Amino acid sequence: RLIAAPYTIYVADDRHGKTTSLATFGLRLRKIEGCLGSASALKMCYAGINKGFSGLAAAMLSAAHRTGSDQSLRRELADSLPALNDRLTVAIPDMLPKARRWVAEMDEISQFLGEDDPAHAVYRAIGKLFAGLADDFDQQGENSRALLSVCAGN
């Protein structure tokens, strides 16, 4: 086996089964509905939800910190949305060192949506948010420290 971790490759329109041999290398294949391009669309949509959520959460946690309501927000999340609260505790610290890479992904998602989709501007803005977070994190800035502190429950 060449790959130690189980990676998943999403495959659409594999009528002739040409990708089946990839499983011998330790890859999990997941066939999805749709035509050629559906797997790429799935990647865009999944990243838009998963990484976009991290961006929105970071923006609101930063705003809460600036206004002094961060601990109240975390208590409210712990009471009303405990699974979300637990996710943020991991997702935000995990995102900060990767934020620079996510800028291009948000731009790609924005392009995928197209200029006629109102969410196009949302993902452009989240890309800018990630760029700012990346700069702040690289400089060990106040915003990154505050996000890490809020996520740690401090």
Side-chain angles (χ1 to χ4, degrees):
R1 217 174 147 171
L2 298 178
I3 298 175
Y7 291 94
T8 302
I9 303 286
Y10 293 91
V11 179
D13 195 29
D14 186 28
R15 288 171 271 183
H16 304 292
K18 292 182 180 182
T19 59
T20 306
S21 64
L22 293 173
T24 62
F25 296 104
L27 298 170
R28 285 187 309 223
L29 298 179
R30 187 166 295 160
K31 295 186 181 188
I32 63 169
E33 307 83 26
C35 60
L36 191 61
S38 295
S40 294
L42 172 65
K43 177 190 177 290
M44 293 290 107
C45 294
Y46 181 81
I49 291 169
N50 188 39
K51 294 174 182 176
F53 166 75
S54 292
L56 292 173
M60 292 299 96
L61 288 171
S62 293
H65 177 74
R66 283 193 308 273
T67 61
S69 61
D70 49 323
Q71 295 309 312
S72 296
L73 175 59
R74 286 301 304 270
R75 280 192 300 277
E76 181 57 36
L77 289 170
D79 288 345
S80 63
L81 298 166
L84 177 61
N85 187 58
D86 292 345
R87 172 93 172 110
L88 291 176
T89 301
V90 175
I92 299 300
D94 185 59
M95 171 271 297
L96 287 169
K98 300 173 187 174
R100 187 151 329 276
R101 287 192 340 238
W102 291 10
V103 173
E105 286 187 68
M106 294 302 109
D107 288 343
E108 189 177 0
I109 291 166
S110 180
Q111 291 172 13
F112 163 74
L113 291 169
E115 291 184 21
D116 292 339
D117 189 317
H120 169 81
V122 171
Y123 284 94
R124 280 270 194 235
I126 293 172
K128 290 178 183 177
L129 172 77
F130 284 139
L133 288 170
D135 290 344
D136 187 79
F137 182 76
D138 290 346
Q139 298 167 12
Q140 299 176 346
E142 169 61 27
N143 196 28
S144 297
R145 288 194 315 272
L147 281 170
L148 291 170
S149 177
V150 168
C151 288
N154 301 328

Short mmCIF file of all heavy atoms in Angstrom, two decimals, residues 51 54-55 57-59 61-62 88-103 129-152:
data_model
loop_
_atom_site.label_atom_id
_atom_site.label_comp_id
_atom_site.label_asym_id
_atom_site.label_seq_id
_atom_site.Cartn_x
_atom_site.Cartn_y
_atom_site.Cartn_z
N LYS A 51 -15.41 25.49 4.88
CA LYS A 51 -14.45 26.57 5.09
C LYS A 51 -15.15 27.92 5.19
O LYS A 51 -14.72 28.79 5.96
CB LYS A 51 -13.40 26.55 4.00
CG LYS A 51 -12.55 25.29 4.08
CD LYS A 51 -11.59 25.15 2.94
CE LYS A 51 -10.83 23.82 3.11
NZ LYS A 51 -9.95 23.57 2.00
N SER A 54 -16.22 28.39 8.69
CA SER A 54 -15.11 28.80 9.56
C SER A 54 -14.85 30.30 9.44
O SER A 54 -14.57 30.97 10.43
CB SER A 54 -13.85 28.01 9.23
OG SER A 54 -14.00 26.66 9.58
N GLY A 55 -14.94 30.82 8.22
CA GLY A 55 -14.74 32.24 8.01
C GLY A 55 -15.81 33.08 8.68
O GLY A 55 -15.51 34.07 9.37
N ALA A 57 -17.72 32.20 11.18
CA ALA A 57 -17.58 32.06 12.63
C ALA A 57 -16.43 32.92 13.15
O ALA A 57 -16.56 33.58 14.18
CB ALA A 57 -17.35 30.59 12.99
N ALA A 58 -15.31 32.93 12.44
CA ALA A 58 -14.17 33.75 12.86
C ALA A 58 -14.55 35.23 12.87
O ALA A 58 -14.17 35.98 13.78
CB ALA A 58 -12.96 33.51 11.95
N ALA A 59 -15.31 35.66 11.87
CA ALA A 59 -15.73 37.07 11.81
C ALA A 59 -16.59 37.43 13.01
O ALA A 59 -16.39 38.48 13.64
CB ALA A 59 -16.50 37.33 10.50
N LEU A 61 -16.82 35.74 15.96
CA LEU A 61 -16.06 35.62 17.21
C LEU A 61 -15.14 36.83 17.40
O LEU A 61 -14.97 37.31 18.52
CB LEU A 61 -15.27 34.32 17.24
CG LEU A 61 -16.09 33.04 17.42
CD1 LEU A 61 -15.22 31.81 17.21
CD2 LEU A 61 -16.75 33.01 18.79
N SER A 62 -14.57 37.32 16.31
CA SER A 62 -13.73 38.52 16.39
C SER A 62 -14.56 39.73 16.81
O SER A 62 -14.14 40.53 17.65
CB SER A 62 -13.05 38.81 15.05
OG SER A 62 -12.11 37.82 14.74
N LEU A 88 -16.33 24.77 16.77
CA LEU A 88 -15.56 26.01 16.70
C LEU A 88 -14.26 25.91 17.49
O LEU A 88 -13.24 26.48 17.10
CB LEU A 88 -16.39 27.19 17.22
CG LEU A 88 -17.57 27.61 16.37
CD1 LEU A 88 -18.35 28.72 17.06
CD2 LEU A 88 -17.12 28.03 14.99
N THR A 89 -14.32 25.20 18.60
CA THR A 89 -13.13 25.05 19.45
C THR A 89 -11.99 24.40 18.68
O THR A 89 -10.82 24.68 18.95
CB THR A 89 -13.50 24.21 20.70
OG1 THR A 89 -14.55 24.89 21.38
CG2 THR A 89 -12.34 24.04 21.63
N VAL A 90 -12.32 23.57 17.71
CA VAL A 90 -11.31 22.90 16.89
C VAL A 90 -11.10 23.63 15.56
O VAL A 90 -9.97 23.83 15.12
CB VAL A 90 -11.74 21.43 16.62
CG1 VAL A 90 -10.78 20.75 15.67
CG2 VAL A 90 -11.85 20.67 17.93
N ALA A 91 -12.20 24.04 14.93
CA ALA A 91 -12.12 24.58 13.57
C ALA A 91 -11.35 25.89 13.47
O ALA A 91 -10.56 26.07 12.54
CB ALA A 91 -13.54 24.77 13.01
N ILE A 92 -11.56 26.79 14.40
CA ILE A 92 -10.91 28.10 14.30
C ILE A 92 -9.39 27.98 14.51
O ILE A 92 -8.62 28.46 13.68
CB ILE A 92 -11.55 29.13 15.26
CG1 ILE A 92 -13.02 29.32 14.93
CG2 ILE A 92 -10.78 30.45 15.24
CD1 ILE A 92 -13.34 29.83 13.56
N PRO A 93 -8.92 27.34 15.58
CA PRO A 93 -7.46 27.19 15.71
C PRO A 93 -6.84 26.40 14.55
O PRO A 93 -5.71 26.67 14.15
CB PRO A 93 -7.29 26.43 17.03
CG PRO A 93 -8.53 26.75 17.81
CD PRO A 93 -9.62 26.86 16.78
N ASP A 94 -7.58 25.46 13.99
CA ASP A 94 -7.08 24.68 12.86
C ASP A 94 -7.01 25.53 11.59
O ASP A 94 -6.13 25.37 10.76
CB ASP A 94 -8.00 23.47 12.63
CG ASP A 94 -7.49 22.56 11.55
OD1 ASP A 94 -6.35 22.05 11.68
OD2 ASP A 94 -8.23 22.33 10.56
N MET A 95 -7.95 26.47 11.44
CA MET A 95 -8.02 27.30 10.25
C MET A 95 -6.91 28.35 10.19
O MET A 95 -6.38 28.62 9.11
CB MET A 95 -9.39 27.98 10.20
CG MET A 95 -9.55 29.04 9.12
SD MET A 95 -9.06 30.71 9.64
CE MET A 95 -10.20 31.04 10.94
N LEU A 96 -6.56 28.95 11.31
CA LEU A 96 -5.65 30.09 11.28
C LEU A 96 -4.34 29.83 10.53
O LEU A 96 -3.96 30.65 9.68
CB LEU A 96 -5.40 30.61 12.70
CG LEU A 96 -6.58 31.36 13.31
CD1 LEU A 96 -6.35 31.60 14.80
CD2 LEU A 96 -6.84 32.65 12.57
N PRO A 97 -3.63 28.74 10.79
CA PRO A 97 -2.39 28.53 10.03
C PRO A 97 -2.62 28.21 8.55
O PRO A 97 -1.69 28.28 7.75
CB PRO A 97 -1.72 27.35 10.73
CG PRO A 97 -2.62 26.88 11.78
CD PRO A 97 -3.82 27.76 11.83
N LYS A 98 -3.84 27.87 8.17
CA LYS A 98 -4.16 27.52 6.79
C LYS A 98 -4.85 28.65 6.04
O LYS A 98 -5.14 28.53 4.85
CB LYS A 98 -5.10 26.30 6.76
CG LYS A 98 -4.54 25.07 7.41
CD LYS A 98 -5.61 24.00 7.47
CE LYS A 98 -5.15 22.80 8.26
NZ LYS A 98 -6.25 21.83 8.43
N ALA A 99 -5.14 29.74 6.72
CA ALA A 99 -5.99 30.79 6.15
C ALA A 99 -5.46 31.31 4.82
O ALA A 99 -6.25 31.59 3.91
CB ALA A 99 -6.14 31.94 7.15
N ARG A 100 -4.17 31.42 4.67
CA ARG A 100 -3.61 31.95 3.41
C ARG A 100 -3.98 31.05 2.23
O ARG A 100 -4.33 31.52 1.15
CB ARG A 100 -2.10 32.11 3.50
CG ARG A 100 -1.56 32.80 2.27
CD ARG A 100 -0.32 33.61 2.45
NE ARG A 100 -0.07 34.27 3.68
CZ ARG A 100 -0.54 35.48 4.04
NH1 ARG A 100 -1.35 36.13 3.22
NH2 ARG A 100 -0.22 36.02 5.18
N ARG A 101 -3.92 29.73 2.43
CA ARG A 101 -4.28 28.79 1.36
C ARG A 101 -5.76 28.90 1.01
O ARG A 101 -6.16 28.64 -0.12
CB ARG A 101 -4.01 27.34 1.79
CG ARG A 101 -2.57 26.97 1.85
CD ARG A 101 -2.34 25.47 1.99
NE ARG A 101 -3.46 24.70 2.48
CZ ARG A 101 -3.44 23.94 3.57
NH1 ARG A 101 -2.36 23.85 4.30
NH2 ARG A 101 -4.51 23.25 3.93
N TRP A 102 -6.57 29.25 1.99
CA TRP A 102 -8.01 29.27 1.77
C TRP A 102 -8.48 30.49 0.99
O TRP A 102 -9.60 30.51 0.49
CB TRP A 102 -8.74 29.18 3.11
CG TRP A 102 -8.59 27.84 3.78
CD1 TRP A 102 -7.75 26.82 3.41
CD2 TRP A 102 -9.29 27.37 4.92
NE1 TRP A 102 -7.89 25.75 4.26
CE2 TRP A 102 -8.83 26.07 5.20
CE3 TRP A 102 -10.24 27.93 5.74
CZ2 TRP A 102 -9.33 25.33 6.26
CZ3 TRP A 102 -10.73 27.19 6.81
CH2 TRP A 102 -10.28 25.89 7.05
N VAL A 103 -7.63 31.51 0.86
CA VAL A 103 -7.98 32.70 0.08
C VAL A 103 -8.28 32.29 -1.36
O VAL A 103 -9.34 32.63 -1.92
CB VAL A 103 -6.85 33.75 0.12
CG1 VAL A 103 -7.15 34.91 -0.81
CG2 VAL A 103 -6.63 34.25 1.55
N LEU A 129 -11.35 38.12 4.09
CA LEU A 129 -11.28 37.87 5.53
C LEU A 129 -10.13 36.92 5.84
O LEU A 129 -9.33 37.17 6.74
CB LEU A 129 -12.60 37.29 6.03
CG LEU A 129 -12.59 36.81 7.48
CD1 LEU A 129 -12.68 37.99 8.43
CD2 LEU A 129 -13.73 35.85 7.72
N PHE A 130 -10.02 35.82 5.08
CA PHE A 130 -8.94 34.86 5.30
C PHE A 130 -7.57 35.50 5.04
O PHE A 130 -6.61 35.22 5.76
CB PHE A 130 -9.11 33.62 4.42
CG PHE A 130 -10.15 32.67 4.92
CD1 PHE A 130 -11.00 32.05 4.02
CD2 PHE A 130 -10.30 32.36 6.26
CE1 PHE A 130 -11.98 31.15 4.45
CE2 PHE A 130 -11.26 31.49 6.71
CZ PHE A 130 -12.10 30.87 5.80
N ALA A 131 -7.48 36.39 4.06
CA ALA A 131 -6.21 37.08 3.80
C ALA A 131 -5.80 37.91 5.01
O ALA A 131 -4.64 37.90 5.44
CB ALA A 131 -6.31 37.94 2.55
N GLY A 132 -6.76 38.63 5.57
CA GLY A 132 -6.48 39.44 6.76
C GLY A 132 -6.12 38.58 7.96
O GLY A 132 -5.20 38.90 8.72
N LEU A 133 -6.83 37.47 8.14
CA LEU A 133 -6.52 36.55 9.24
C LEU A 133 -5.13 35.96 9.07
O LEU A 133 -4.38 35.81 10.05
CB LEU A 133 -7.56 35.44 9.33
CG LEU A 133 -8.94 35.83 9.84
CD1 LEU A 133 -9.93 34.69 9.64
CD2 LEU A 133 -8.87 36.26 11.30
N ALA A 134 -4.77 35.61 7.84
CA ALA A 134 -3.45 35.04 7.58
C ALA A 134 -2.35 36.03 7.92
O ALA A 134 -1.35 35.68 8.57
CB ALA A 134 -3.34 34.60 6.12
N ASP A 135 -2.52 37.29 7.49
CA ASP A 135 -1.53 38.32 7.81
C ASP A 135 -1.41 38.50 9.32
O ASP A 135 -0.30 38.57 9.86
CB ASP A 135 -1.90 39.66 7.16
CG ASP A 135 -1.74 39.65 5.65
OD1 ASP A 135 -1.06 38.75 5.11
OD2 ASP A 135 -2.33 40.55 5.00
N ASP A 136 -2.54 38.57 9.98
CA ASP A 136 -2.54 38.76 11.44
C ASP A 136 -1.88 37.57 12.13
O ASP A 136 -1.08 37.75 13.06
CB ASP A 136 -3.98 38.94 11.94
CG ASP A 136 -4.03 39.31 13.40
OD1 ASP A 136 -3.79 40.49 13.72
OD2 ASP A 136 -4.29 38.41 14.23
N PHE A 137 -2.20 36.36 11.68
CA PHE A 137 -1.62 35.16 12.30
C PHE A 137 -0.11 35.13 12.10
O PHE A 137 0.64 34.81 13.04
CB PHE A 137 -2.27 33.90 11.70
CG PHE A 137 -1.78 32.63 12.32
CD1 PHE A 137 -2.22 32.24 13.58
CD2 PHE A 137 -0.88 31.83 11.65
CE1 PHE A 137 -1.77 31.06 14.16
CE2 PHE A 137 -0.41 30.65 12.22
CZ PHE A 137 -0.86 30.26 13.48
N ASP A 138 0.36 35.46 10.89
CA ASP A 138 1.80 35.47 10.61
C ASP A 138 2.54 36.45 11.51
O ASP A 138 3.69 36.22 11.88
CB ASP A 138 2.06 35.84 9.14
CG ASP A 138 1.63 34.74 8.18
OD1 ASP A 138 1.38 33.59 8.62
OD2 ASP A 138 1.54 35.04 6.97
N GLN A 139 1.88 37.54 11.87
CA GLN A 139 2.50 38.57 12.72
C GLN A 139 2.17 38.37 14.19
O GLN A 139 2.49 39.24 15.01
CB GLN A 139 2.05 39.95 12.25
CG GLN A 139 2.46 40.26 10.84
CD GLN A 139 1.75 41.49 10.28
OE1 GLN A 139 1.10 42.24 11.00
NE2 GLN A 139 1.86 41.67 8.98
N GLN A 140 1.51 37.25 14.51
CA GLN A 140 1.07 36.98 15.88
C GLN A 140 0.28 38.16 16.43
O GLN A 140 0.52 38.62 17.55
CB GLN A 140 2.26 36.62 16.77
CG GLN A 140 2.98 35.38 16.30
CD GLN A 140 4.21 35.06 17.13
OE1 GLN A 140 4.70 35.87 17.90
NE2 GLN A 140 4.71 33.86 16.96
N GLY A 141 -0.64 38.61 15.60
CA GLY A 141 -1.42 39.80 15.91
C GLY A 141 -2.52 39.58 16.93
O GLY A 141 -2.83 38.46 17.34
N GLU A 142 -3.13 40.69 17.30
CA GLU A 142 -4.17 40.71 18.33
C GLU A 142 -5.38 39.86 17.94
O GLU A 142 -5.93 39.15 18.76
CB GLU A 142 -4.59 42.15 18.60
CG GLU A 142 -5.84 42.30 19.45
CD GLU A 142 -5.72 41.70 20.86
OE1 GLU A 142 -4.60 41.60 21.39
OE2 GLU A 142 -6.76 41.32 21.41
N ASN A 143 -5.82 39.95 16.68
CA ASN A 143 -7.02 39.23 16.28
C ASN A 143 -6.82 37.72 16.40
O ASN A 143 -7.68 37.01 16.91
CB ASN A 143 -7.43 39.62 14.86
CG ASN A 143 -8.84 39.21 14.54
OD1 ASN A 143 -9.70 39.11 15.41
ND2 ASN A 143 -9.11 38.96 13.27
N SER A 144 -5.69 37.21 15.95
CA SER A 144 -5.42 35.78 16.05
C SER A 144 -5.33 35.34 17.51
O SER A 144 -5.90 34.30 17.89
CB SER A 144 -4.10 35.43 15.35
OG SER A 144 -4.19 35.71 13.99
N ARG A 145 -4.63 36.12 18.31
CA ARG A 145 -4.54 35.78 19.73
C ARG A 145 -5.90 35.77 20.38
O ARG A 145 -6.23 34.90 21.19
CB ARG A 145 -3.59 36.74 20.45
CG ARG A 145 -2.12 36.52 20.10
CD ARG A 145 -1.16 37.23 21.07
NE ARG A 145 -1.51 38.60 21.39
CZ ARG A 145 -1.13 39.68 20.69
NH1 ARG A 145 -0.38 39.53 19.61
NH2 ARG A 145 -1.49 40.88 21.08
N ALA A 146 -6.73 36.75 20.02
CA ALA A 146 -8.08 36.82 20.60
C ALA A 146 -8.92 35.61 20.16
O ALA A 146 -9.60 35.01 20.99
CB ALA A 146 -8.76 38.12 20.15
N LEU A 147 -8.86 35.25 18.87
CA LEU A 147 -9.62 34.09 18.40
C LEU A 147 -9.18 32.81 19.11
O LEU A 147 -10.01 32.01 19.53
CB LEU A 147 -9.47 33.93 16.90
CG LEU A 147 -10.31 34.85 16.03
CD1 LEU A 147 -9.90 34.75 14.58
CD2 LEU A 147 -11.79 34.53 16.19
N LEU A 148 -7.88 32.64 19.26
CA LEU A 148 -7.37 31.45 19.94
C LEU A 148 -7.81 31.44 21.41
O LEU A 148 -8.18 30.40 21.95
CB LEU A 148 -5.85 31.36 19.82
CG LEU A 148 -5.34 31.07 18.41
CD1 LEU A 148 -3.83 31.25 18.34
CD2 LEU A 148 -5.78 29.69 17.93
N SER A 149 -7.78 32.61 22.02
CA SER A 149 -8.18 32.71 23.43
C SER A 149 -9.68 32.42 23.58
O SER A 149 -10.07 31.66 24.49
CB SER A 149 -7.87 34.11 23.94
OG SER A 149 -8.32 34.26 25.26
N VAL A 150 -10.50 32.99 22.71
CA VAL A 150 -11.94 32.75 22.78
C VAL A 150 -12.24 31.27 22.57
O VAL A 150 -13.05 30.68 23.29
CB VAL A 150 -12.69 33.63 21.75
CG1 VAL A 150 -14.13 33.21 21.61
CG2 VAL A 150 -12.59 35.10 22.12
N CYS A 151 -11.58 30.64 21.61
CA CYS A 151 -11.83 29.22 21.32
C CYS A 151 -11.34 28.32 22.47
O CYS A 151 -11.90 27.25 22.68
CB CYS A 151 -11.16 28.82 20.01
SG CYS A 151 -12.03 29.53 18.60
N ALA A 152 -10.34 28.78 23.19
CA ALA A 152 -9.86 28.01 24.33
C ALA A 152 -10.74 28.23 25.56
O ALA A 152 -10.55 27.57 26.59
CB ALA A 152 -8.41 28.39 24.63
#
